[in-house]
Amino acid sequence: MAKAKKEKMDPVKKAKLVYSGEFLLIAIVFIVLIILKFTDVLRSDNFIKSTIFNFVTLAGGLLIIGDFLWATLSKKRRSRTCYLDKCIHLPIGIYLLTYDIISLVNWNADYYLGIEAYSWFKYGIIIVFIYIAIDYTFEGIYHYFYPIPEFLKLEAEVRKEQEEERLEKEAQEKEALEANNSSIEEKEKESND
């Protein structure tokens, strides 16, 4: 029994699946981190680790806010990106900036050794992870149905190529049919002579 030839997946659909799948995979990773952090499997009561986290997230929060401002003020940037994504990321950037400033104001080893500091750090991280997991889950689903502008350009290019291939194939079939008809006419002439 012959196997049916599999249809090739549309490149645009494939790209949307990969892009959305990446978002959903990141969301799953953060859900696992939330569970591990909440159950204290991942403990970060070390002063050095928490300080490094504060400086890294401070830079990240500033980058998120800067990216939002760039997308807001630049029409060219806004046309190439999904502005909704920038708006959704903005609250986490503001939260991280606020959280890190409060943490760095109380930046000393004695504070981080207390139970209040551990709870502050633990639940501060969990809030960040929860927001990121929700954000990336939403983006994974949303961008499958409403792709980013780059995918829309890709889709237009793929449709144009498919149309060109279809027209070329029709032209070849027409030529083959005309050649076949002319050879039949020649054979009929020869048989009539």
Short mmCIF file of all heavy atoms in Angstrom, two decimals, residues 68 78 81-90 135 138-139 142-143 146:
data_model
loop_
_atom_site.label_atom_id
_atom_site.label_comp_id
_atom_site.label_asym_id
_atom_site.label_seq_id
_atom_site.Cartn_x
_atom_site.Cartn_y
_atom_site.Cartn_z
N PHE A 68 9.92 50.35 25.93
CA PHE A 68 8.55 50.88 25.80
C PHE A 68 8.60 52.32 25.30
O PHE A 68 7.84 52.70 24.39
CB PHE A 68 7.82 50.81 27.15
CG PHE A 68 6.51 51.53 27.14
CD1 PHE A 68 5.40 50.95 26.55
CD2 PHE A 68 6.38 52.79 27.70
CE1 PHE A 68 4.19 51.62 26.52
CE2 PHE A 68 5.18 53.46 27.67
CZ PHE A 68 4.07 52.87 27.08
N ARG A 78 7.61 51.25 16.21
CA ARG A 78 6.26 50.80 16.52
C ARG A 78 5.68 49.98 15.36
O ARG A 78 4.93 49.04 15.58
CB ARG A 78 5.35 51.98 16.83
CG ARG A 78 4.06 51.57 17.49
CD ARG A 78 3.18 52.71 17.90
NE ARG A 78 3.91 53.87 18.35
CZ ARG A 78 3.61 55.11 18.01
NH1 ARG A 78 2.58 55.37 17.24
NH2 ARG A 78 4.32 56.12 18.47
N THR A 81 7.25 46.32 15.55
CA THR A 81 7.02 45.48 16.72
C THR A 81 5.55 45.49 17.10
O THR A 81 4.77 46.28 16.59
CB THR A 81 7.83 45.99 17.94
OG1 THR A 81 7.39 47.29 18.26
CG2 THR A 81 9.32 45.99 17.65
N CYS A 82 5.21 44.63 18.01
CA CYS A 82 3.85 44.60 18.54
C CYS A 82 3.81 45.53 19.75
O CYS A 82 4.41 45.25 20.79
CB CYS A 82 3.47 43.18 18.93
SG CYS A 82 1.81 43.05 19.60
N TYR A 83 3.11 46.63 19.59
CA TYR A 83 3.06 47.64 20.66
C TYR A 83 2.36 47.09 21.91
O TYR A 83 2.68 47.48 23.02
CB TYR A 83 2.37 48.90 20.14
CG TYR A 83 2.49 50.08 21.06
CD1 TYR A 83 3.73 50.65 21.33
CD2 TYR A 83 1.38 50.63 21.67
CE1 TYR A 83 3.87 51.73 22.17
CE2 TYR A 83 1.49 51.72 22.51
CZ TYR A 83 2.74 52.27 22.76
OH TYR A 83 2.85 53.33 23.60
N LEU A 84 1.43 46.16 21.71
CA LEU A 84 0.74 45.53 22.84
C LEU A 84 1.75 44.82 23.75
O LEU A 84 1.64 44.90 24.98
CB LEU A 84 -0.32 44.55 22.35
CG LEU A 84 -1.05 43.76 23.42
CD1 LEU A 84 -1.90 44.69 24.29
CD2 LEU A 84 -1.92 42.69 22.79
N ASP A 85 2.73 44.14 23.16
CA ASP A 85 3.76 43.48 23.95
C ASP A 85 4.51 44.47 24.83
O ASP A 85 4.79 44.20 26.00
CB ASP A 85 4.76 42.76 23.05
CG ASP A 85 4.17 41.54 22.38
OD1 ASP A 85 3.04 41.17 22.72
OD2 ASP A 85 4.84 40.98 21.50
N LYS A 86 4.85 45.60 24.25
CA LYS A 86 5.59 46.62 25.00
C LYS A 86 4.75 47.15 26.16
O LYS A 86 5.26 47.38 27.25
CB LYS A 86 6.01 47.78 24.10
CG LYS A 86 6.80 47.37 22.88
CD LYS A 86 8.01 46.56 23.24
CE LYS A 86 8.74 46.11 21.99
NZ LYS A 86 9.69 45.05 22.24
N CYS A 87 3.45 47.32 25.93
CA CYS A 87 2.55 47.80 26.99
C CYS A 87 2.37 46.75 28.09
O CYS A 87 2.29 47.10 29.27
CB CYS A 87 1.18 48.16 26.40
SG CYS A 87 1.23 49.59 25.31
N ILE A 88 2.34 45.49 27.70
CA ILE A 88 2.18 44.42 28.69
C ILE A 88 3.44 44.28 29.54
O ILE A 88 3.36 43.97 30.73
CB ILE A 88 1.83 43.09 28.00
CG1 ILE A 88 0.42 43.17 27.42
CG2 ILE A 88 1.92 41.93 28.96
CD1 ILE A 88 0.03 41.97 26.60
N HIS A 89 4.60 44.49 28.95
CA HIS A 89 5.86 44.37 29.69
C HIS A 89 6.11 45.56 30.62
O HIS A 89 6.86 45.44 31.58
CB HIS A 89 7.04 44.23 28.73
CG HIS A 89 7.06 42.95 27.97
ND1 HIS A 89 7.18 41.73 28.57
CD2 HIS A 89 6.97 42.70 26.64
CE1 HIS A 89 7.17 40.79 27.66
NE2 HIS A 89 7.03 41.35 26.47
N LEU A 90 5.51 46.70 30.33
CA LEU A 90 5.78 47.92 31.09
C LEU A 90 5.52 47.75 32.60
O LEU A 90 6.37 48.16 33.40
CB LEU A 90 4.98 49.09 30.54
CG LEU A 90 5.24 50.43 31.23
CD1 LEU A 90 6.69 50.85 31.06
CD2 LEU A 90 4.30 51.49 30.66
N ASP A 135 2.16 36.66 31.42
CA ASP A 135 2.47 37.47 30.25
C ASP A 135 2.84 36.60 29.06
O ASP A 135 2.30 36.74 27.96
CB ASP A 135 3.61 38.43 30.62
CG ASP A 135 4.05 39.31 29.47
OD1 ASP A 135 3.35 39.39 28.45
OD2 ASP A 135 5.11 39.95 29.60
N PHE A 138 -0.09 34.49 27.70
CA PHE A 138 -0.97 35.34 26.87
C PHE A 138 -0.34 35.60 25.51
O PHE A 138 -0.99 35.47 24.47
CB PHE A 138 -1.25 36.66 27.59
CG PHE A 138 -1.94 37.67 26.71
CD1 PHE A 138 -3.28 37.55 26.42
CD2 PHE A 138 -1.22 38.71 26.14
CE1 PHE A 138 -3.91 38.46 25.58
CE2 PHE A 138 -1.83 39.62 25.31
CZ PHE A 138 -3.19 39.50 25.03
N GLU A 139 0.94 35.98 25.49
CA GLU A 139 1.60 36.30 24.23
C GLU A 139 1.69 35.08 23.32
O GLU A 139 1.55 35.20 22.10
CB GLU A 139 2.99 36.87 24.48
CG GLU A 139 2.96 38.28 25.00
CD GLU A 139 4.35 38.87 25.16
OE1 GLU A 139 5.24 38.52 24.36
OE2 GLU A 139 4.53 39.67 26.08
N TYR A 142 -1.87 34.70 21.96
CA TYR A 142 -2.26 35.87 21.17
C TYR A 142 -1.52 35.93 19.83
O TYR A 142 -2.11 36.17 18.78
CB TYR A 142 -1.99 37.15 21.98
CG TYR A 142 -2.32 38.42 21.24
CD1 TYR A 142 -3.63 38.87 21.15
CD2 TYR A 142 -1.33 39.16 20.62
CE1 TYR A 142 -3.94 40.03 20.47
CE2 TYR A 142 -1.62 40.32 19.94
CZ TYR A 142 -2.93 40.76 19.86
OH TYR A 142 -3.22 41.90 19.18
N HIS A 143 -0.20 35.69 19.87
CA HIS A 143 0.58 35.83 18.65
C HIS A 143 0.37 34.68 17.67
O HIS A 143 0.77 34.78 16.50
CB HIS A 143 2.06 36.00 18.95
CG HIS A 143 2.39 37.35 19.47
ND1 HIS A 143 2.08 38.49 18.78
CD2 HIS A 143 2.98 37.76 20.62
CE1 HIS A 143 2.48 39.55 19.47
NE2 HIS A 143 3.01 39.12 20.59
N TYR A 146 -2.84 36.43 16.13
CA TYR A 146 -2.53 37.77 15.63
C TYR A 146 -1.02 37.92 15.57
O TYR A 146 -0.39 38.39 16.52
CB TYR A 146 -3.13 38.85 16.55
CG TYR A 146 -4.63 38.74 16.69
CD1 TYR A 146 -5.19 38.14 17.80
CD2 TYR A 146 -5.45 39.23 15.70
CE1 TYR A 146 -6.56 38.02 17.93
CE2 TYR A 146 -6.83 39.11 15.81
CZ TYR A 146 -7.38 38.51 16.94
OH TYR A 146 -8.73 38.40 17.06
#
